[in-house]
Amino acid sequence: MTKKSISQIVGKDGNPSAAATSAPNCFIHDGETPKNGENIAWGDIFSEPRKGNSVKFFVTGDEYFQAVAKTFKNAQSSIYITGWQVNFDVELAEGKTLFEHLEIAIETNKQLRIYVMPWLSPKVGVDTGDFETTLAVYQLNAGLQGPARAFALPAIEQSDMTAGMAVGFSHHQKLVVVDNRIAFVGGIDLAYGRRDDGEFSLAANGRTGNEIYNPCIPQIRDITNVEQTKYLTRLELLAACFEGVTGAAGTFVTSAPMVPLAHAMDAANLASESVKDASKQVEDWWININILPDFIRAWQAMPRDLAGKGLRAAFYNLDHRLNGKLEFLRASGSANVASAASALLGWLNNAGMEQLPHEFRNETTQLIQMFTIATLTHLQNSTDRLPGRYPNLKKLRKILPQSGRTFSTGQPRMPWHDVHSSIEGPSVSDLSRNFELRWNSIACKYEHSCKFVSANAIVRGLFSVWGQSATSTVKVPRIPPSPLPKDQPNAGSAWIQVLRSAPLTLLRDEAKACRSPIPNLAQNNCLKAMLTAINGAQKFIYIEGQFFQSAFGKNVSDQNLSGPLSALVDIESLRNYKKHARSLGIEGLAPDEYAAKINWMRVAEVTKDKDFMSELYAVLKNVASIKASKQLGKAQQGLLNPISDAIAKRIEKAVNDGLPFHVYMILPVHPEGTLNTLNIMTQIHLTMQSLVFGTDSLVNRVRRAIVVKSLMKRKCISLNEAIKAVASYDTPRLNKESANWNQYLTLLNLRNWQTLDGRPVTEQIYVHSKLLIADDRVAVLGSANINDRSQLGDRDSELAVIVRDDAKVSIKLDGENLDTVSSAVYDLRSRLWKKLFGLTGGKNPASSLNSVIDTPASSSTWQAIQEVARANAVAYQNAFKHVPRVDGDSSSIWPTWDATSNKLQTYMPFDERFWRGAVVREESVSRAGKMIAPESAPVGVQGYFVQLPVMWTERENNLSGMNLSLLANSDTGSDDGRRLTELDSSVSKIQSRV
């Protein structure tokens, strides 16, 4: 295989009619250091590039879910599934859940083996449902004739980070392999929220429970008791996996007596609601979750003879001390746990862990993980002896949402945009090998952990409730080697190379499991591949990414925290602070002095001011989170990966050479989560610094290159002289002299709107893709985001592929010269553009852009896209005041925030009052705003893309001070086992006394 190919266009006279086009090799090799990666320690590659593959791309979650469901139906020998999140009750296709599709597959073919490996999430802060999925997978063995054939093994964290920080990192690969014949790899998990089509509907459209997915807004409607009887609970599913009297208990909660009881409870609640102040409920200062769903609690209050020998008996047989703690936990909400043991019991009863005090977080995480391992031990040894699968897995099908709440019909779901692929051919062997290595290495870790787990008194006690023992040994089945690539039949014309980000800890575990040489470096193949593709791009780059966080030089923002984030950690800014601080004896004290100085005799009096207590709790929690994250380990001082630098250098080369070149980038408006969460606010800060505001941000690098080129031409000076001169330019001057930076760079978000319950609403379309396309010749697709977590190799595990197709198609990328590109890659990019332009089912398509799809490198194309994107963004900001602005002055991270008064002018969508309309009180609250801003249907929107607001957060510093090394997708907030400072204690004390 040659390193590069040269395409020369000649005229009839034989002379060149255009410059030769170089297509550098897109694959990576051991020993090679890509340009712009000189300071990176490069680990070995995972696999060689292989020819003879067939590749198919999926540009919606719906078409991927349908394809994988169809493949399950025809599975003969094996199914491998791994993901950051795998939910047994997610609907795939034909109205059937993942569990139901796997059940059909295992019943159809008696030789089939199923292996499922989700990430073992910490449960505290991030709970992906891996425990429930593990239970459901083992239920597939019930009633089988013969030994177990379905296995689940949650993947323990294997990063190279310090012990305390390690819990914040994850197994992030998304892979399905069937029969070692066809593999599915990309960015889509078999999880809630991902099943979407090209219409990006904001309405639920038949989705129920966890399938109604939107982590960016609060759920405001309580799930009624009748509705609760239609869901499975975690504890019920666990009990169903145990033999004997307890295993039958779960069926009781949906038996005939329970539904009338639930109706009666709902009627009583409805009557009491009429005399309650609804606004006071909204403003409760903690989330008072019912740890035990009402129908289970009512059942436990019945006479013991009615409950029989089920969970009712198990509850009364609990150790008296734990029994009392569980009652306290149920009565007061998860904010008031007394120990990690009671937190574990609450979690088993579907409690959320969001309010867990920091001092219990690490202990609870470890305890839940030990309980998971002990449960796995039991499941390995017994579920195949169960007479049949638990009926409610098919009758009820869905797990009860942890919050006990759901969305109202007037609230939007968050549409999902993502990319995935299916592969057949020699490279499937490499993808199978990745799964086998990980499974077998994790199996070893579980087996070595069992003695430690069984020695834990709490785990032993909990298992004794079910009349079981926490077995000290477990033998997880190993997966034999898959066929070698050379033994796979050729299936198509695509070259594919499988890439990994794999921490050294993971690699050494794999080496020990298969007795191979111990490696010395982590694998960062995904980074090397992206740098290689960027450096080799000739005319354009197209990026879809969930994140863009890359080295950006120095922060350009206020040195001190400012804007809403400052208010979220500043106790003295609270309304009525002076009044209450004086009463409590804490006026003028630092937060970490509260526990020692507070006048606890006055707490009850102060808690009558619900608004103040709500805000006080939020501030204390935020400050405690920052301190907790810092205690996890030493934080890095800045972002490290060089992807932004590589893009900037490629554009700088185009500017210096006087040649056209364009980069398109589509990102989410913000990471999934609410805009009043410190972690999300910090992520936005890092993204905006990487893109726009940092001294060496991508936009500033392009601006500088343009000014340098102009200076060289105007003053006839050398490149080095111009670079030196421009280095002294301040930001306003640089901006003024480089207003046309967008001729090289188009930055986009995705958004949709809809009228729900008579009210126009909008929500971002969440970009979750991890895709880079260069010149329609090569694609890099997988699970690796553009951030340090995914790219450096020592943190999250990742999986990706490089795709280049030998089947060619000729198009004019720049609108003038004919280019030969990869057929499959061109088809992928053109289908994505048609989808995002609204040309494949959108209600308001950008029809004018249909003509530019085949000319991505033409100036007329990026100009047309930018024009529509800007018009769309203006239409949205005119209709919805909470949307970031793209014209006029820069807006706050909360666009309705007034910097002068340091208050919200109107509610933001993260506030429940935004969604409750006339129910809310119209009074001034420092965080809550006064009212709902006027809303209207946006006019003239075409397609789903909008201009990224490049001046958003310009004058704010939203770098919260949380540990930069974590860069977590969600705020895990876990600590390293050391008791936190007096500040954290004060949070817990206030929680427990109110």
Side-chain angles (χ1 to χ4, degrees):
M1 183 174 58
T2 58
K3 288 288 184 181
K4 64 173 68 176
S5 61
I6 304 294
S7 300
Q8 181 73 66
I9 301 175
V10 297
K12 293 181 179 180
D13 58 0
N15 294 319
S17 58
T21 300
S22 171
N25 175 38
C26 56
F27 301 110
I28 62 174
H29 305 276
D30 280 337
E32 288 185 345
T33 302
K35 189 177 180 182
N36 302 325
E38 294 82 358
N39 296 323
I40 302 293
W42 298 107
D44 293 338
I45 63 170
F46 178 70
S47 77
E48 293 292 337
R50 307 194 191 280
K51 64 179 180 179
N53 296 283
S54 170
V55 61
K56 179 180 179 180
F57 294 107
F58 306 104
V59 300
T60 70
D62 183 62
E63 63 182 11
Y64 166 51
F65 278 15
Q66 290 191 45
V68 78
K70 181 179 179 180
T71 307
F72 286 161
K73 187 179 299 185
N74 299 318
Q76 299 296 310
S77 60
S78 62
I79 293 176
Y80 303 157
I81 301 173
T82 189
W84 182 83
Q85 181 171 350
V86 181
N87 301 119
F88 78 91
D89 55 337
V90 66
E91 289 192 14
L92 290 188
E94 302 172 353
K96 296 185 177 68
T97 64
L98 171 60
F99 174 83
E100 290 165 334
H101 282 285
L102 294 179
E103 183 181 41
I104 293 170
I106 205 168
E107 289 287 352
T108 301
N109 194 303
K110 306 306 179 184
Q111 306 303 314
L112 181 65
R113 299 291 188 272
I114 297 173
Y115 303 88
V116 181
M117 185 168 50
W119 172 48
L120 180 60
S121 60
K123 310 302 180 292
V124 179
V126 181
D127 190 346
T128 61
D130 49 280
F131 185 74
E132 297 92 311
T133 292
T134 298
L135 298 176
V137 169
Y138 276 97
Q139 277 282 327
L140 292 169
N141 296 310
L144 290 181
Q145 300 299 316
R149 294 191 280 120
F151 310 95
L153 196 61
I156 302 170
E157 179 277 326
Q158 290 173 288
S159 78
D160 297 334
M161 308 305 285
T162 59
M165 201 180 299
V167 72
F169 296 92
S170 65
H171 286 283
H172 199 240
Q173 300 179 355
K174 297 97 168 54
L175 174 69
V176 173
V177 185
V178 177
D179 295 338
N180 291 310
R181 176 185 58 83
I182 181 169
F184 298 87
V185 63
I188 307 179
D189 284 307
L190 299 180
Y192 309 130
R194 278 67 166 173
R195 178 173 52 89
D196 220 314
D197 57 23
E199 295 187 10
F200 298 118
S201 174
L202 304 189
N205 291 339
R207 292 174 171 86
T208 60
N210 292 314
E211 295 272 13
I212 309 175
Y213 187 86
N214 191 343
C216 301
I217 60 175
Q219 297 166 313
I220 65 170
R221 186 176 72 81
D222 291 331
I223 297 175
T224 68
N225 296 287
V226 170
E227 288 173 320
Q228 287 181 5
T229 64
K230 299 176 182 178
Y231 289 102
L232 286 157
T233 68
R234 184 182 292 120
L235 185 58
E236 176 188 358
L237 189 54
L238 174 64
C241 291
F242 286 82
E243 296 178 272
V245 294
T246 311
T251 60
F252 181 85
V253 299
T254 53
S255 62
M258 294 313 301
V259 174
L261 176 63
H263 277 292
M265 294 175 65
D266 282 337
N269 288 340
L270 186 62
S272 62
E273 284 292 326
S274 64
V275 296
K276 289 181 180 179
D277 180 357
S279 63
K280 287 291 186 183
Q281 286 188 323
V282 176
E283 313 232 346
D284 279 350
W285 77 285
W286 72 57
I287 302 172
N288 191 17
I289 299 170
N290 283 330
I291 296 304
L292 298 179
D294 284 343
F295 66 90
I296 293 179
R297 185 166 68 249
W299 164 41
Q300 291 177 338
M302 293 177 184
R304 292 187 63 177
D305 57 347
L306 177 61
K309 296 181 178 180
L311 288 178
R312 166 70 169 157
F315 180 78
Y316 276 104
N317 288 333
L318 279 172
D319 173 83
H320 178 71
R321 179 174 58 88
L322 291 181
N323 190 324
K325 288 179 178 178
L326 181 58
E327 281 294 337
F328 177 66
L329 183 66
R330 178 196 60 74
S332 60
S334 60
N336 298 307
V337 296
S339 70
S342 58
L344 170 59
L345 289 169
W347 175 74
L348 286 173
N349 284 284
N350 274 73
M353 297 286 102
E354 294 82 3
Q355 298 293 89
L356 195 65
H358 285 281
E359 61 189 286
F360 293 131
R361 288 193 169 208
N362 187 64
E363 184 184 358
T364 302
T365 295
Q366 292 178 350
L367 185 58
I368 291 176
Q369 290 187 352
M370 284 192 289
F371 186 79
T372 300
I373 294 173
T375 302
L376 177 67
T377 301
H378 169 80
L379 298 178
Q380 291 280 357
N381 297 327
S382 67
T383 50
D384 57 331
R385 297 198 296 268
L386 293 174
R389 298 182 188 108
Y390 183 49
N392 281 347
L393 273 165
K394 294 186 70 173
K395 180 181 178 182
L396 303 182
R397 306 172 65 240
K398 304 284 184 76
I399 203 79
L400 181 70
Q402 290 182 27
S403 65
R405 305 181 108 191
T406 188
F407 298 102
S408 74
T409 55
Q411 292 181 282
R413 60 179 288 270
M414 183 179 72
W416 198 274
H417 174 68
D418 219 330
V419 187
H420 217 74
S421 69
S422 66
I423 296 169
E424 296 182 71
S427 288
V428 174
S429 291
D430 294 321
L431 292 163
S432 291
R433 177 166 57 93
N434 167 75
F435 186 90
E436 293 154 9
L437 286 169
R438 292 195 53 213
W439 178 277
N440 292 340
S441 70
I442 293 292
C444 287
K445 291 181 75 71
Y446 269 84
E447 292 174 359
H448 292 154
S449 299
C450 282
K451 289 184 178 180
F452 172 73
V453 169
S454 62
N456 184 277
I458 296 175
V459 173
R460 288 202 313 272
L462 288 171
F463 267 74
S464 68
V465 169
W466 283 276
Q468 307 287 328
S469 63
T471 312
S472 60
T473 59
V474 61
K475 183 64 178 176
V476 181
R478 302 302 196 268
I479 300 178
S482 58
L484 295 174
K486 65 181 180 65
D487 297 326
Q488 292 272 24
N490 285 352
S493 57
W495 285 82
I496 290 176
Q497 183 174 24
V498 177
L499 314 166
R500 296 209 304 182
S501 291
L504 186 57
T505 299
L506 182 153
L507 295 175
R508 288 176 172 172
D509 287 343
E510 291 179 344
K512 292 175 184 176
C514 63
R515 299 177 181 176
S516 62
I518 304 297
N520 296 315
L521 290 172
Q523 289 175 340
N524 46 15
N525 303 167
C526 300
L527 174 59
K528 193 172 184 179
M530 293 196 75
L531 295 179
T532 299
I534 292 166
N535 295 333
Q538 302 299 299
K539 293 188 175 181
F540 83 97
I541 294 172
Y542 176 68
I543 293 173
E544 291 183 1
Q546 183 184 5
F547 290 93
F548 186 82
Q549 295 172 0
S550 188
F552 56 76
K554 296 180 180 179
N555 276 288
V556 179
S557 59
D558 293 339
Q559 293 300 307
N560 299 317
L561 293 180
S562 57
L565 193 140
S566 175
L568 287 175
V569 296
D570 179 12
I571 291 176
E572 293 188 10
S573 71
L574 300 181
R575 183 182 60 86
N576 287 338
Y577 164 77
K578 289 188 176 181
K579 171 186 174 183
H580 295 311
R582 192 175 299 115
S583 296
L584 294 174
I586 59 175
E587 186 177 16
L589 299 181
D592 55 6
E593 298 180 88
Y594 284 4
K597 304 288 187 179
I598 196 168
N599 180 357
W600 292 106
M601 298 295 292
R602 305 293 296 275
V603 168
E605 174 185 329
V606 174
T607 57
K608 294 177 182 178
D609 186 341
K610 295 291 187 179
D611 293 331
F612 175 78
M613 292 307 299
S614 175
E615 295 176 5
L616 175 63
Y617 168 69
V619 170
L620 289 175
K621 179 183 176 184
N622 287 336
V623 176
S625 295
I626 294 170
K627 293 180 72 73
S629 76
K630 290 180 177 178
Q631 290 190 349
L632 297 178
K634 184 178 180 180
Q636 64 191 55
Q637 296 305 301
L639 301 184
L640 303 174
N641 76 83
I643 290 178
S644 180
D645 176 67
I647 297 173
K649 285 182 176 177
R650 181 60 191 87
I651 294 176
E652 287 168 351
K653 184 179 185 303
V655 175
N656 291 335
D657 293 343
L659 295 175
F661 185 82
H662 203 81
V663 176
Y664 300 88
M665 192 180 301
I666 301 181
L667 303 171
V669 179
H670 61 82
E672 53 180 329
T674 58
L675 275 179
N676 62 341
T677 303
L678 295 190
N679 183 272
I680 302 303
M681 299 171 82
T682 302
Q683 296 278 10
I684 293 170
H685 178 91
L686 295 173
T687 298
M688 296 307 295
Q689 293 291 323
S690 299
L691 283 175
V692 185
F693 302 131
T695 55
D696 293 323
S697 70
L698 181 57
V699 170
N700 277 338
R701 289 280 296 272
V702 176
R703 285 169 170 159
R704 209 168 285 130
I706 293 172
V707 177
V708 164
K709 180 69 173 180
S710 175
L711 207 59
M712 290 172 62
K713 184 176 181 180
R714 286 188 290 108
K715 296 192 174 183
C716 297
I717 58 177
S718 69
L719 175 63
N720 288 337
E721 289 175 318
I723 291 174
K724 185 177 180 180
V726 174
S728 64
Y729 284 20
D730 59 19
T731 301
R733 183 177 180 185
L734 187 64
N735 294 350
K736 181 179 179 181
E737 297 190 22
S738 60
N740 59 341
W741 59 267
N742 55 8
Q743 67 181 297
Y744 297 98
L745 191 59
T746 295
L747 302 176
L748 302 172
N749 297 143
L750 301 180
R751 183 172 289 281
N752 197 13
W753 73 277
Q754 201 163 334
T755 299
L756 300 179
D757 284 357
R759 177 184 182 182
V761 296
T762 185
E763 183 56 88
Q764 70 165 324
I765 297 169
Y766 195 62
V767 181
H768 190 260
S769 321
K770 300 92 169 60
L771 171 70
L772 185 150
I773 291 175
D775 298 329
D776 281 356
R777 293 188 175 96
V778 57
V780 180
L781 168 67
S783 68
N785 291 304
I786 299 178
N787 60 12
D788 288 356
R789 292 180 63 104
S790 292
Q791 297 294 334
L792 297 184
D794 59 352
R795 306 179 186 196
D796 291 350
S797 66
E798 306 289 358
L799 187 69
V801 290
I802 303 172
V803 179
R804 195 196 74 190
D805 194 0
D806 279 348
K808 305 296 184 183
V809 62
S810 294
I811 60 173
K812 294 180 179 180
L813 293 177
D814 60 4
E816 298 178 7
N817 303 304
L818 205 61
D819 294 277
T820 301
V821 300
S822 294
S823 177
V825 179
Y826 157 73
D827 181 66
L828 168 61
R829 201 247 333 139
S830 61
R831 287 176 62 211
L832 286 169
W833 279 24
K834 289 176 182 177
K835 174 187 175 183
L836 302 183
F837 295 168
L839 301 175
T840 56
K843 58 183 179 181
N844 295 303
S847 302
S848 62
L849 298 181
N850 191 46
S851 61
V852 306
I853 290 174
D854 286 351
T855 58
S858 169
S859 60
S860 60
T861 296
W862 58 256
Q863 287 173 355
I865 291 174
Q866 288 180 7
E867 182 179 351
V868 175
R870 179 169 181 79
N872 285 345
V874 171
Y876 277 113
Q877 75 180 28
N878 290 341
F880 304 102
K881 301 304 181 186
H882 62 270
V883 170
R885 302 186 64 82
V886 295
D887 63 353
D889 294 334
S890 59
S891 62
S892 166
I893 195 168
W894 299 351
T896 64
W897 178 266
D898 179 66
T900 303
S901 63
N902 211 34
K903 293 180 181 180
L904 275 175
Q905 297 302 298
T906 56
Y907 301 135
M908 288 288 293
F910 56 73
D911 193 317
E912 287 197 10
R913 286 164 290 197
F914 180 93
W915 301 105
R916 292 188 181 269
V919 175
V920 301
R921 291 176 295 175
E922 303 298 334
E923 63 183 52
S924 177
V925 179
S926 61
R927 300 284 188 300
K930 294 181 180 180
M931 62 186 71
I932 295 173
E935 300 161 331
S936 60
V939 178
V941 171
Q942 301 178 60
Y944 300 109
F945 58 102
V946 296
Q947 177 181 310
L948 185 146
V950 294
M951 304 309 290
W952 189 30
T953 74
E954 179 193 19
R955 297 189 179 96
E956 292 179 349
N957 179 4
N958 291 297
L959 194 62
S960 66
M962 298 190 74
N963 195 312
L964 191 59
S965 297
L966 285 173
L967 289 180
N969 294 345
S970 300
D971 184 5
T972 62
S974 303
D975 63 71
D976 61 356
R978 294 174 291 182
R979 184 169 294 274
L980 299 180
T981 60
E982 293 282 340
L983 170 63
D984 307 296
S985 178
S986 70
V987 177
S988 301
K989 288 182 178 179
I990 291 176
Q991 290 172 334
S992 63
R993 289 174 182 259
V994 176

